[in-house]
Coordinates of all heavy atoms in Angstrom, one line a residue:
M21 N 23.8 12.2 28.4 CA 22.4 12.5 28.5 C 22.2 13.8 29.2 O 22.9 14.0 30.1 CB 21.7 11.3 29.2 CG 20.2 11.4 29.1 SD 19.4 9.9 29.8 CE 19.6 10.3 31.5
E22 N 21.2 14.6 28.8 CA 21.0 15.9 29.4 C 20.0 15.8 30.6 O 19.1 14.9 30.5 CB 20.5 16.9 28.4 CG 21.6 17.9 28.0 CD 21.1 19.0 27.1 OE1 19.9 19.3 27.1 OE2 22.0 19.6 26.4
C23 N 20.1 16.7 31.5 CA 19.1 16.7 32.6 C 17.7 17.0 32.0 O 17.5 17.7 31.1 CB 19.5 17.9 33.5 SG 18.4 18.3 34.8
N24 N 16.7 16.3 32.6 CA 15.3 16.4 32.1 C 14.5 17.6 32.7 O 13.4 17.8 32.4 CB 14.6 15.1 32.4 CG 15.0 14.0 31.6 OD1 15.4 14.1 30.4 ND2 15.2 12.8 32.2
A25 N 15.1 18.3 33.6 CA 14.4 19.4 34.3 C 13.9 20.5 33.4 O 14.7 20.9 32.6 CB 15.2 19.9 35.4
K26 N 12.6 20.8 33.5 CA 12.1 22.0 32.8 C 11.2 22.8 33.7 O 10.7 22.3 34.7 CB 11.1 21.4 31.7 CG 11.9 20.7 30.5 CD 10.9 20.2 29.5 CE 11.6 19.5 28.4 NZ 12.4 18.3 28.7
W27 N 11.1 24.0 33.4 CA 10.3 25.0 34.1 C 9.8 26.0 33.2 O 10.1 26.0 32.0 CB 11.1 25.7 35.3 CG 12.3 26.3 34.8 CD1 12.5 27.5 34.2 CD2 13.6 25.7 34.6 NE1 13.8 27.7 33.8 CE2 14.5 26.6 34.1 CE3 14.2 24.4 34.9 CZ2 15.8 26.4 33.9 CZ3 15.5 24.1 34.7 CH2 16.3 25.2 34.1
E28 N 8.8 26.7 33.7 CA 8.2 27.8 32.8 C 9.3 28.7 32.2 O 9.9 29.3 33.0 CB 7.2 28.6 33.6 CG 6.2 29.4 32.8 CD 5.2 30.2 33.6 OE1 5.0 29.8 34.7 OE2 4.7 31.1 33.0
G29 N 9.4 28.7 31.0 CA 10.4 29.5 30.3 C 11.7 29.0 30.2 O 12.7 29.7 29.7
G30 N 12.0 27.7 30.5 CA 13.3 27.2 30.3 C 13.5 25.7 30.6 O 12.6 25.0 31.1
A31 N 14.7 25.3 30.4 CA 15.0 23.8 30.6 C 16.5 23.8 30.9 O 17.2 24.6 30.5 CB 14.7 22.9 29.4
C32 N 16.9 22.8 31.6 CA 18.3 22.6 32.1 C 19.1 22.0 31.0 O 18.7 21.2 30.2 CB 18.3 21.7 33.3 SG 20.0 21.5 34.0
D33 N 20.3 22.5 30.8 CA 21.2 22.0 29.8 C 22.4 21.3 30.4 O 23.4 21.0 29.6 CB 21.6 23.1 28.8 CG 22.4 24.3 29.4 OD1 22.6 24.1 30.7 OD2 22.7 25.1 28.8
R34 N 22.3 21.0 31.7 CA 23.5 20.2 32.2 C 23.4 18.8 32.0 O 22.4 18.3 31.5 CB 23.5 20.5 33.8 CG 23.7 21.9 34.2 CD 23.7 22.1 35.7 NE 23.8 23.5 36.0 CZ 24.3 23.9 37.2 NH1 24.6 23.1 38.2 NH2 24.4 25.3 37.5
D35 N 24.5 18.1 32.2 CA 24.5 16.7 32.1 C 23.7 16.0 33.2 O 23.8 16.4 34.3 CB 26.0 16.1 32.1 CG 26.7 16.5 30.8 OD1 26.0 16.7 29.7 OD2 27.9 16.6 30.8
A36 N 23.1 14.9 32.8 CA 22.3 14.1 33.9 C 23.3 13.5 34.8 O 24.3 13.0 34.4 CB 21.4 13.1 33.2
W37 N 22.9 13.4 36.0 CA 23.8 12.8 37.1 C 23.1 11.6 37.8 O 23.7 10.6 37.9 CB 24.1 14.0 38.1 CG 24.8 13.5 39.3 CD1 26.1 13.2 39.3 CD2 24.4 13.3 40.6 NE1 26.6 12.9 40.5 CE2 25.5 12.9 41.3 CE3 23.2 13.4 41.1 CZ2 25.4 12.7 42.7 CZ3 23.0 13.2 42.5 CH2 24.1 12.8 43.3
A38 N 21.8 11.7 38.0 CA 21.1 10.6 38.6 C 19.6 10.7 38.2 O 19.1 11.8 38.2 CB 21.2 10.6 40.1
K39 N 19.0 9.5 37.9 CA 17.6 9.6 37.5 C 17.2 10.7 36.5 O 16.2 11.3 36.5 CB 16.7 9.7 38.8 CG 17.0 8.6 39.8 CD 16.0 8.6 40.9 CE 16.2 7.4 41.7 NZ 15.3 7.3 42.9
G40 N 18.1 10.8 35.5 CA 17.8 11.7 34.4 C 17.9 13.2 34.8 O 17.5 14.1 34.1
L41 N 18.6 13.5 36.0 CA 18.6 14.8 36.4 C 20.1 15.2 36.8 O 20.9 14.3 37.2 CB 17.8 15.1 37.7 CG 16.2 14.8 37.5 CD1 15.6 14.7 38.8 CD2 15.6 16.0 36.7
C42 N 20.5 16.4 36.7 CA 21.7 16.9 37.1 C 21.7 16.9 38.6 O 20.6 16.8 39.2 CB 22.1 18.3 36.5 SG 21.1 19.6 37.2
S43 N 22.8 17.1 39.3 CA 22.9 17.1 40.7 C 22.0 18.1 41.4 O 21.3 17.9 42.4 CB 24.3 17.1 41.2 OG 24.9 18.3 40.9
G44 N 22.0 19.3 40.9 CA 21.2 20.5 41.4 C 19.7 20.1 41.3 O 19.0 20.4 42.2
H45 N 19.3 19.6 40.2 CA 17.8 19.3 40.0 C 17.4 18.0 40.7 O 16.3 17.9 41.2 CB 17.4 19.3 38.5 CG 17.3 20.7 38.0 ND1 18.1 21.1 36.9 CD2 16.6 21.8 38.4 CE1 17.9 22.5 36.7 NE2 17.0 22.9 37.6
Y46 N 18.4 17.1 40.8 CA 18.1 15.9 41.7 C 17.8 16.4 43.1 O 16.9 15.9 43.7 CB 19.3 15.0 41.6 CG 19.1 13.7 42.3 CD1 18.2 12.7 41.9 CD2 19.8 13.5 43.5 CE1 18.0 11.6 42.5 CE2 19.7 12.3 44.2 CZ 18.7 11.4 43.7 OH 18.6 10.2 44.4
Q47 N 18.6 17.4 43.6 CA 18.4 17.9 44.9 C 17.0 18.6 45.1 O 16.3 18.3 46.1 CB 19.5 18.8 45.4 CG 20.8 18.1 45.9 CD 21.9 19.0 46.2 OE1 21.7 20.2 46.4 NE2 23.1 18.5 46.0
Q48 N 16.7 19.4 44.1 CA 15.4 20.1 44.1 C 14.3 19.0 44.2 O 13.3 19.1 44.9 CB 15.2 20.9 42.8 CG 16.0 22.2 42.9 CD 15.8 23.2 41.7 OE1 15.1 22.8 40.8 NE2 16.5 24.3 41.7
Q49 N 14.4 18.0 43.4 CA 13.3 16.9 43.4 C 13.3 16.2 44.8 O 12.3 16.0 45.3 CB 13.7 15.9 42.2 CG 12.5 15.0 42.0 CD 12.9 13.6 41.4 OE1 13.9 13.0 42.0 NE2 12.3 13.2 40.4
R50 N 14.4 15.9 45.3 CA 14.4 15.3 46.6 C 13.9 16.2 47.7 O 13.3 15.6 48.7 CB 15.9 14.9 47.0 CG 16.4 13.7 46.2 CD 17.6 13.0 46.9 NE 17.3 12.7 48.3 CZ 18.2 12.2 49.1 NH1 19.4 12.0 48.7 NH2 17.9 11.8 50.4
R51 N 14.0 17.5 47.6 CA 13.4 18.4 48.6 C 11.9 18.7 48.3 O 11.3 19.3 49.0 CB 14.1 19.7 48.5 CG 15.5 19.7 49.2 CD 16.1 21.1 49.3 NE 17.4 21.2 48.8 CZ 17.9 21.9 47.8 NH1 17.0 22.7 47.2 NH2 19.1 21.9 47.5
G52 N 11.4 18.0 47.2 CA 10.1 18.2 46.8 C 9.8 19.6 46.2 O 8.6 20.0 46.2
Q53 N 10.8 20.1 45.7 CA 10.5 21.5 45.1 C 10.3 21.3 43.6 O 10.6 20.4 43.0 CB 11.9 22.3 45.3 CG 12.3 22.5 46.6 CD 13.7 23.2 46.7 OE1 14.4 23.2 45.7 NE2 14.0 23.7 47.8
D54 N 9.6 22.4 43.0 CA 9.4 22.4 41.6 C 10.8 22.8 41.0 O 11.6 23.4 41.7 CB 8.5 23.5 41.2 CG 7.0 23.2 41.7 OD1 6.7 22.0 41.8 OD2 6.3 24.2 41.9
Y55 N 11.0 22.3 39.8 CA 12.3 22.6 39.1 C 12.4 24.1 38.9 O 11.4 24.8 38.5 CB 12.4 21.9 37.8 CG 12.5 20.4 38.0 CD1 11.7 19.6 37.2 CD2 13.3 19.8 38.9 CE1 11.7 18.2 37.3 CE2 13.3 18.4 39.1 CZ 12.6 17.6 38.2 OH 12.6 16.3 38.3
A56 N 13.5 24.6 39.2 CA 13.8 26.1 39.0 C 15.3 26.2 38.5 O 16.1 25.2 38.7 CB 13.7 26.8 40.3
P57 N 15.5 27.2 37.7 CA 16.9 27.4 37.1 C 17.9 27.3 38.3 O 17.7 27.8 39.4 CB 16.8 28.8 36.5 CG 15.4 29.2 36.4 CD 14.7 28.4 37.4
L58 N 19.1 26.7 37.9 CA 20.2 26.7 38.9 C 21.1 27.9 38.4 O 21.2 28.2 37.2 CB 20.9 25.4 38.7 CG 20.2 24.2 39.0 CD1 20.9 22.9 38.5 CD2 19.9 24.1 40.5
R59 N 21.7 28.4 39.4 CA 22.7 29.5 39.0 C 23.9 29.0 38.3 O 24.4 27.9 38.8 CB 23.1 30.3 40.3 CG 22.0 31.2 40.7 CD 22.5 32.1 41.8 NE 22.6 31.3 43.0 CZ 21.7 31.0 43.9 NH1 20.4 31.4 43.7 NH2 21.9 30.3 45.0
K60 N 24.4 29.5 37.3 CA 25.6 29.1 36.6 C 26.9 29.4 37.4 O 26.8 30.4 38.1 CB 25.7 29.7 35.2 CG 24.7 29.1 34.3 CD 25.0 29.7 32.9 CE 24.0 29.1 31.8 NZ 22.6 29.4 32.0
A61 N 27.9 28.6 37.3 CA 29.1 28.9 38.0 C 29.6 30.3 37.5 O 29.5 30.6 36.3 CB 30.2 27.8 37.7
G62 N 30.0 31.2 38.4 CA 30.4 32.4 38.0 C 29.3 33.5 37.8 O 29.5 34.6 37.5
D63 N 28.1 32.9 37.9 CA 26.9 33.8 37.8 C 26.1 33.8 39.1 O 24.9 33.8 39.1 CB 26.1 33.2 36.6 CG 24.9 34.1 36.3 OD1 24.9 35.3 36.6 OD2 23.9 33.6 35.8
N64 N 26.8 33.7 40.2 CA 26.1 33.5 41.4 C 26.2 34.7 42.3 O 25.9 34.7 43.5 CB 26.6 32.3 42.2 CG 28.1 32.3 42.3 OD1 28.7 33.3 42.0 ND2 28.8 31.3 43.0
T65 N 26.6 35.8 41.7 CA 26.6 37.0 42.5 C 25.1 37.6 42.6 O 24.3 37.6 41.7 CB 27.3 38.2 41.7 OG1 28.5 37.7 41.3 CG2 27.5 39.4 42.6
L66 N 24.7 37.7 43.9 CA 23.3 38.1 44.1 C 23.3 39.6 44.3 O 24.1 40.2 45.1 CB 22.7 37.4 45.3 CG 22.7 35.9 45.2 CD1 22.2 35.3 46.5 CD2 21.8 35.5 44.1
E67 N 22.3 40.3 43.8 CA 22.1 41.7 44.0 C 21.0 41.9 45.0 O 20.0 41.2 45.1 CB 21.6 42.3 42.6 CG 22.6 42.1 41.5 CD 23.8 43.0 41.5 OE1 23.8 44.0 42.2 OE2 24.8 42.6 40.9
M68 N 21.2 43.0 45.8 CA 20.2 43.3 46.8 C 19.1 44.3 46.2 O 19.6 45.3 45.6 CB 20.9 43.9 48.0 CG 19.9 44.3 49.1 SD 19.1 43.0 50.0 CE 20.4 42.4 51.1
I69 N 17.9 44.0 46.3 CA 16.9 45.0 45.9 C 15.8 45.1 47.0 O 15.7 44.2 47.8 CB 16.1 44.5 44.6 CG1 15.5 43.2 44.7 CG2 17.1 44.6 43.4 CD1 14.5 42.9 43.6
G70 N 15.0 46.2 47.0 CA 14.0 46.3 47.9 C 12.7 46.6 47.1 O 12.7 47.4 46.3
V71 N 11.7 45.8 47.3 CA 10.4 46.0 46.7 C 9.3 45.9 47.7 O 9.3 45.3 48.7 CB 10.2 44.9 45.6 CG1 11.0 45.2 44.4 CG2 10.3 43.5 46.1
R72 N 8.2 46.7 47.4 CA 7.0 46.5 48.2 C 6.1 45.6 47.5 O 5.8 45.8 46.2 CB 6.4 47.9 48.3 CG 7.1 48.9 49.2 CD 6.3 50.1 49.5 NE 7.2 51.0 50.2 CZ 7.2 51.0 51.5 NH1 6.5 50.1 52.2 NH2 8.0 51.9 52.3
I73 N 5.6 44.6 48.1 CA 4.5 43.7 47.6 C 3.3 43.7 48.4 O 3.3 44.2 49.6 CB 5.1 42.2 47.4 CG1 5.5 41.7 48.8 CG2 6.4 42.2 46.5 CD1 6.0 40.3 48.7
T74 N 2.3 43.1 47.8 CA 1.0 43.1 48.7 C 1.1 42.1 49.8 O 1.9 41.2 49.8 CB -0.2 42.7 47.8 OG1 0.0 41.4 47.3 CG2 -0.4 43.6 46.6
R75 N 0.4 42.4 50.8 CA 0.3 41.5 52.0 C 0.0 40.1 51.6 O 0.5 39.1 52.0 CB -0.6 42.0 53.0 CG -0.7 41.2 54.3 CD -1.5 41.9 55.4 NE -0.9 43.2 55.7 CZ -1.5 44.2 56.4 NH1 -2.8 44.1 56.7 NH2 -0.9 45.3 56.7
E76 N -1.0 40.0 50.6 CA -1.5 38.7 50.2 C -0.3 37.9 49.5 O -0.2 36.7 49.8 CB -2.6 38.9 49.1 CG -3.4 37.7 48.9 CD -4.5 37.8 47.8 OE1 -4.6 39.0 47.4 OE2 -5.2 36.9 47.5
D77 N 0.5 38.6 48.7 CA 1.5 38.0 47.9 C 2.6 37.5 48.9 O 3.1 36.4 48.9 CB 2.2 38.9 46.9 CG 1.4 39.1 45.7 OD1 0.4 38.3 45.5 OD2 1.7 40.0 44.8
K78 N 2.8 38.4 49.9 CA 3.8 38.1 50.9 C 3.4 36.8 51.8 O 4.3 36.0 52.1 CB 3.9 39.3 51.9 CG 5.1 39.2 53.0 CD 5.3 40.6 53.5 CE 6.5 40.6 54.6 NZ 5.9 40.1 55.9
Q79 N 2.1 36.8 52.1 CA 1.7 35.6 52.8 C 1.8 34.3 52.0 O 2.2 33.3 52.6 CB 0.2 35.8 53.3 CG 0.1 36.7 54.5 CD -1.4 37.2 54.8 OE1 -2.2 36.9 54.0 NE2 -1.6 37.8 55.9
V80 N 1.5 34.3 50.8 CA 1.6 33.2 49.9 C 3.0 32.7 49.8 O 3.3 31.5 50.1 CB 1.1 33.5 48.5 CG1 1.4 32.4 47.6 CG2 -0.5 33.7 48.6
L81 N 3.9 33.6 49.6 CA 5.3 33.3 49.5 C 5.9 32.8 50.8 O 6.8 31.9 50.9 CB 6.1 34.5 48.9 CG 5.7 34.8 47.4 CD1 6.4 36.2 47.1 CD2 6.1 33.7 46.5
E82 N 5.5 33.5 51.9 CA 6.1 33.0 53.2 C 5.5 31.7 53.6 O 6.4 30.9 54.1 CB 5.8 34.1 54.2 CG 6.7 35.3 54.2 CD 6.3 36.4 55.2 OE1 5.3 36.2 56.0 OE2 7.0 37.3 55.3
S83 N 4.4 31.4 53.3 CA 3.9 30.1 53.7 C 4.4 28.9 52.8 O 4.7 27.9 53.3 CB 2.3 30.0 53.7 OG 1.8 30.1 52.4
E84 N 4.8 29.3 51.5 CA 5.5 28.4 50.7 C 6.9 28.1 51.3 O 7.4 27.0 51.3 CB 5.6 28.8 49.3 CG 6.4 28.0 48.3 CD 5.9 26.6 48.1 OE1 4.8 26.2 48.6 OE2 6.6 25.8 47.5
A85 N 7.6 29.1 51.7 CA 8.9 29.0 52.4 C 8.8 28.1 53.6 O 9.6 27.2 53.8 CB 9.5 30.3 52.7
Q86 N 7.7 28.3 54.4 CA 7.5 27.5 55.6 C 7.3 26.1 55.2 O 7.9 25.1 55.9 CB 6.3 28.1 56.3 CG 6.5 28.1 57.8 CD 5.5 29.0 58.5 OE1 4.3 29.0 58.1 NE2 6.0 29.7 59.4
R87 N 6.5 25.9 54.2 CA 6.1 24.5 53.8 C 7.5 23.7 53.3 O 7.6 22.6 53.7 CB 5.2 24.5 52.6 CG 4.6 23.2 52.2 CD 3.8 23.3 50.9 NE 4.5 23.6 49.7 CZ 5.2 22.7 49.0 NH1 5.2 21.5 49.3 NH2 5.9 23.1 47.9
R88 N 8.3 24.5 52.6 CA 9.6 23.8 52.2 C 10.6 23.8 53.3 O 11.7 23.1 53.1 CB 10.2 24.6 51.0 CG 9.3 24.6 49.8 CD 10.1 25.3 48.7 NE 9.3 25.6 47.5 CZ 9.9 26.2 46.5 NH1 11.1 26.7 46.6 NH2 9.1 26.5 45.5
G89 N 10.5 24.6 54.3 CA 11.5 24.7 55.3 C 12.7 25.5 54.9 O 13.8 25.2 55.3
V90 N 12.5 26.5 54.1 CA 13.7 27.3 53.6 C 13.4 28.8 54.0 O 12.3 29.1 54.5 CB 13.8 27.3 52.0 CG1 14.1 25.9 51.6 CG2 12.6 27.8 51.3
D91 N 14.3 29.6 53.9 CA 14.3 30.9 54.2 C 13.3 31.6 53.2 O 13.3 31.3 52.0 CB 15.7 31.6 54.1 CG 15.7 32.9 54.8 OD1 15.5 33.0 56.0 OD2 15.8 34.0 54.1
D92 N 12.6 32.6 53.7 CA 11.6 33.4 52.9 C 12.3 33.9 51.6 O 11.8 33.9 50.5 CB 11.1 34.6 53.6 CG 10.2 34.2 54.8 OD1 9.9 33.0 54.9 OD2 9.9 35.1 55.6
S93 N 13.5 34.4 51.9 CA 14.2 35.1 50.7 C 14.5 34.2 49.5 O 14.6 34.6 48.4 CB 15.6 35.7 51.2 OG 16.5 34.6 51.6
E94 N 14.6 32.8 49.9 CA 14.8 31.9 48.8 C 13.6 31.8 47.9 O 13.8 31.7 46.7 CB 15.1 30.5 49.4 CG 15.8 29.5 48.5 CD 16.3 28.3 49.2 OE1 17.0 28.4 50.2 OE2 16.0 27.2 48.8
V95 N 12.5 31.9 48.5 CA 11.2 31.8 47.6 C 11.0 33.1 46.9 O 10.6 33.0 45.7 CB 10.0 31.5 48.6 CG1 8.7 31.5 47.8 CG2 10.2 30.1 49.2
Y96 N 11.3 34.2 47.5 CA 11.2 35.5 46.8 C 12.1 35.5 45.6 O 11.7 35.9 44.5 CB 11.6 36.7 47.7 CG 10.7 36.9 48.8 CD1 11.1 37.3 50.1 CD2 9.2 36.9 48.7 CE1 10.3 37.5 51.2 CE2 8.4 37.1 49.7 CZ 8.9 37.4 51.0 OH 8.1 37.7 52.0
R97 N 13.3 35.1 45.8 CA 14.4 35.0 44.7 C 13.9 34.1 43.6 O 14.0 34.4 42.4 CB 15.6 34.5 45.3 CG 16.8 34.6 44.4 CD 18.1 34.6 45.1 NE 18.3 33.4 46.0 CZ 18.6 33.5 47.3 NH1 18.7 34.7 47.9 NH2 18.7 32.4 48.0
E98 N 13.3 32.9 44.0 CA 12.8 32.0 42.9 C 11.7 32.7 42.1 O 11.6 32.5 40.9 CB 12.4 30.7 43.6 CG 11.9 29.7 42.5 CD 11.3 28.5 43.2 OE1 11.9 28.0 44.2 OE2 10.2 28.0 42.7
A99 N 10.7 33.3 42.8 CA 9.6 34.0 42.2 C 10.0 35.0 41.1 O 9.6 35.0 40.0 CB 8.7 34.6 43.2
I100 N 10.9 35.8 41.5 CA 11.5 36.8 40.7 C 12.3 36.2 39.5 O 12.2 36.6 38.4 CB 12.4 37.9 41.4 CG1 11.5 38.6 42.4 CG2 13.1 38.8 40.5 CD1 12.2 39.5 43.4
S101 N 13.1 35.3 39.8 CA 13.9 34.5 38.8 C 13.0 33.8 37.7 O 13.3 33.9 36.6 CB 14.7 33.5 39.5 OG 15.6 32.9 38.6
R102 N 11.9 33.3 38.2 CA 11.0 32.6 37.2 C 10.3 33.7 36.3 O 10.2 33.4 35.1 CB 9.9 31.9 37.9 CG 10.3 30.6 38.5 CD 9.2 29.9 39.2 NE 9.6 28.7 39.7 CZ 8.8 27.6 39.8 NH1 7.6 27.7 39.3 NH2 9.2 26.4 40.2
Y103 N 10.0 34.8 36.9 CA 9.4 35.8 36.1 C 10.4 36.4 35.1 O 10.1 36.6 33.9 CB 8.8 36.9 37.0 CG 8.2 38.1 36.2 CD1 7.0 37.8 35.5 CD2 8.7 39.3 36.2 CE1 6.4 38.8 34.8 CE2 8.1 40.3 35.4 CZ 6.9 40.0 34.7 OH 6.4 41.1 34.0
A104 N 11.7 36.6 35.6 CA 12.7 37.1 34.7 C 13.0 36.1 33.6 O 13.2 36.6 32.4 CB 13.9 37.4 35.5
A105 N 13.0 34.8 33.8 CA 13.2 33.8 32.8 C 12.1 33.9 31.7 O 12.3 33.7 30.5 CB 13.2 32.4 33.5
R106 N 10.9 34.1 32.2 CA 9.8 34.2 31.3 C 9.9 35.4 30.4 O 9.6 35.4 29.1 CB 8.4 34.3 32.0 CG 7.1 33.8 31.2 CD 6.0 33.7 32.1 NE 5.3 35.0 32.3 CZ 4.4 35.3 33.2 NH1 4.1 34.4 34.1 NH2 3.9 36.5 33.3
L107 N 10.2 36.5 31.0 CA 10.5 37.8 30.2 C 11.6 37.6 29.2 O 11.5 38.0 28.0 CB 10.8 38.9 31.2 CG 9.6 39.6 31.9 CD1 10.3 40.7 32.7 CD2 8.6 40.1 30.9
R108 N 12.7 36.9 29.6 CA 13.8 36.7 28.7 C 13.3 35.9 27.6 O 13.7 36.2 26.4 CB 14.9 35.9 29.4 CG 16.0 36.8 30.0 CD 17.3 36.0 30.3 NE 17.0 34.9 31.1 CZ 17.0 34.9 32.5 NH1 17.2 36.0 33.1 NH2 16.9 33.9 33.2
K109 N 12.5 34.9 27.7 CA 12.0 34.0 26.7 C 11.1 34.8 25.8 O 11.2 34.7 24.5 CB 11.2 32.9 27.3 CG 10.9 31.8 26.3 CD 9.9 30.8 26.9 CE 9.4 29.8 25.9 NZ 8.2 29.1 26.4
E110 N 10.3 35.7 26.3 CA 9.3 36.5 25.5 C 10.2 37.5 24.7 O 9.8 37.7 23.5 CB 8.4 37.3 26.5 CG 7.2 36.4 26.9 CD 6.4 37.2 28.0 OE1 6.6 38.4 28.1 OE2 5.6 36.5 28.7
L111 N 11.2 38.1 25.2 CA 12.1 39.0 24.5 C 12.8 38.3 23.4 O 13.0 38.9 22.3 CB 13.0 39.8 25.5 CG 12.3 40.7 26.4 CD1 13.3 41.2 27.5 CD2 11.7 41.8 25.7
D112 N 13.3 37.1 23.7 CA 14.0 36.3 22.7 C 13.1 36.0 21.4 O 13.6 35.9 20.4 CB 14.5 35.0 23.2 CG 15.7 35.2 24.2 OD1 16.3 36.4 24.1 OD2 16.1 34.3 24.8
G113 N 11.8 35.8 21.7 CA 10.9 35.5 20.7 C 10.4 36.6 19.8 O 9.7 36.4 18.8
R114 N 10.8 37.8 20.1 CA 10.4 38.9 19.2 C 11.4 39.1 18.1 O 12.6 38.8 18.1 CB 10.5 40.2 20.1 CG 9.2 40.3 20.9 CD 9.3 41.5 21.8 NE 8.3 41.4 22.9 CZ 8.2 42.3 23.9 NH1 9.1 43.2 24.0 NH2 7.4 42.1 24.8
Ligands
ZN18 ZN1 19.4 20.1 35.7

């Protein structure tokens, strides 16, 4: 059985591990997070970028990080990752 996790622009293709979810998405659910793509093995190299964002966006993302009790960078990374997933989907559809 496959993991049931879905997010904007994608779905998980890992095998289910508990409650219809793979271990990574089971952990996201337990932490009260929205489902987000998991990094594939061997695809976990992170690149460093610097971007300027509005103060309003920064405040929204930082308060989300605070709510979840995670580092700000984790939420920034997720936001960009979701947008990239959406773009990939749009490009695939052309
Ligand atoms: Zn999954």
Side-chain angles (χ1 to χ4, degrees):
M21 193 175 72
E22 259 188 17
C23 173
N24 292 322
K26 290 179 180 60
W27 52 89
E28 194 178 339
C32 184
D33 59 3
R34 296 183 181 200
D35 288 333
W37 175 73
K39 300 189 175 179
L41 298 168
C42 70
S43 60
H45 285 119
Y46 183 70
Q47 279 176 27
Q48 287 182 356
Q49 192 207 48
R50 285 197 55 183
R51 286 190 227 117
Q53 300 172 342
D54 292 335
Y55 296 133
L58 301 166
R59 286 187 288 278
K60 290 186 173 66
D63 183 26
N64 56 2
T65 313
L66 299 176
E67 304 284 336
M68 177 68 81
I69 60 167
V71 286
R72 291 185 182 278
I73 61 175
T74 64
R75 182 170 298 163
E76 193 183 2
D77 287 349
K78 188 167 181 275
Q79 282 170 350
V80 168
L81 294 171
E82 282 177 357
S83 64
E84 175 61 8
Q86 217 163 47
R87 190 185 67 81
R88 294 187 194 173
V90 300
D91 195 68
D92 296 348
S93 62
E94 200 170 310
V95 176
Y96 293 138
R97 190 158 55 236
E98 182 188 318
I100 292 170
S101 184
R102 285 179 176 215
Y103 182 65
R106 203 172 83 196
L107 281 181
R108 269 199 302 276
K109 192 186 168 198
E110 284 172 12
L111 294 171
D112 286 350
R114 280 179 197 166

